[in-house]
Amino acid sequence: DLLTRARAALVPATYAVDGGALAIAQNGHFTRTRRIGGYLDEVVRYDGESLVATYPELGLAIERRVGLAEPALLSQWVPWLLPSPDALARWYVVTKVDDHTLRLQQRGSEETIDLGLDAQLRLVSISQRKGTQLLGQTRFEHDSKGLTIVSDDQRTRIELTTRQPITDAPAE
């Protein structure tokens, strides 16, 4: 199916975000690192089931179970990644519109969300509609140096980087 093929086509990458790094693995898991206030390292990992924020200097870890709420998590952290088929099926009726478009519709709602994919099966647009009326759209413009997120005439650039995230585990 289209969603499974698109998730399998994900190319691992590391982006420069929040003064740190966001590394995305081929399976859609991610690690984001940053320094808060110039002195405190934060390492946030998503393993497909839980989001864990660690603060190595403090020996502190905070775990949040995500499970089938993955679409909401990804929409906030990495909106250009596609959720798992099971997670989408929990919240939406998912239909294939054409070879590059999936339509999501919550049960009992007139509104739909179209997920547009490019030839490499990367997410390039999220369009929310009510019937034929376009309510909102976010586009993802991928290029060899990163991607640009375009939403409501606002452009956010995210550059690829060779910087690797911190991998220190919290102290026991």
Side-chain angles (χ1 to χ4, degrees):
D1 106 302
L2 182 58
L3 181 57
T4 301
R5 287 188 300 116
R7 285 178 49 94
L10 178 64
V11 175
T14 302
Y15 298 92
V17 294
D18 294 331
L22 170 67
I24 301 170
Q26 200 275 328
N27 59 7
H29 300 175
F30 64 84
T31 300
R32 193 219 45 209
T33 61
R34 66 180 178 152
R35 180 156 282 196
I36 300 171
Y39 67 92
L40 181 62
D41 289 331
E42 177 186 56
V43 180
V44 178
R45 289 185 180 89
Y46 175 61
D47 65 4
E49 289 297 322
S50 297
L51 185 72
V52 180
T54 58
Y55 305 87
E57 294 85 357
L58 301 177
L60 177 65
I62 302 164
E63 181 175 1
R64 296 172 186 94
R65 292 268 307 126
V66 175
L68 295 177
E70 183 183 59
L73 173 83
L74 295 181
S75 74
Q76 296 301 308
W77 286 80
V78 279
W80 63 93
L81 291 188
L82 292 165
S84 71
D86 288 344
L88 281 179
R90 165 64 177 89
W91 303 103
Y92 302 99
V93 174
V94 181
T95 56
K96 181 179 170 185
V97 175
D98 58 38
D99 288 344
H100 293 357
T101 309
L102 291 170
R103 177 159 294 148
L104 313 178
Q105 185 168 15
Q106 287 185 322
R107 290 160 184 86
S109 174
E110 294 178 35
E111 293 183 12
T112 60
I113 300 170
D114 286 350
L115 305 177
L117 308 175
D118 66 8
Q120 290 81 38
L121 300 179
R122 299 175 298 191
L123 185 62
V124 293
S125 68
I126 301 172
S127 303
Q128 185 177 6
R129 299 179 185 280
K130 185 171 186 177
T132 58
Q133 178 187 7
L134 180 65
L135 301 176
Q137 184 177 59
T138 301
R139 293 189 331 273
F140 306 98
E141 299 173 352
H142 300 267
D143 61 47
S144 63
K145 295 182 181 180
L147 67 99
T148 302
I149 302 170
V150 182
S151 181
D152 296 327
D153 297 326
Q154 180 179 357
R155 298 177 69 82
T156 304
R157 180 72 187 164
I158 301 175
E159 297 288 338
L160 286 167
T161 184
T162 56
R163 179 179 176 186
Q164 293 302 307
I166 302 164
T167 57
D168 294 335
E172 295 291 321

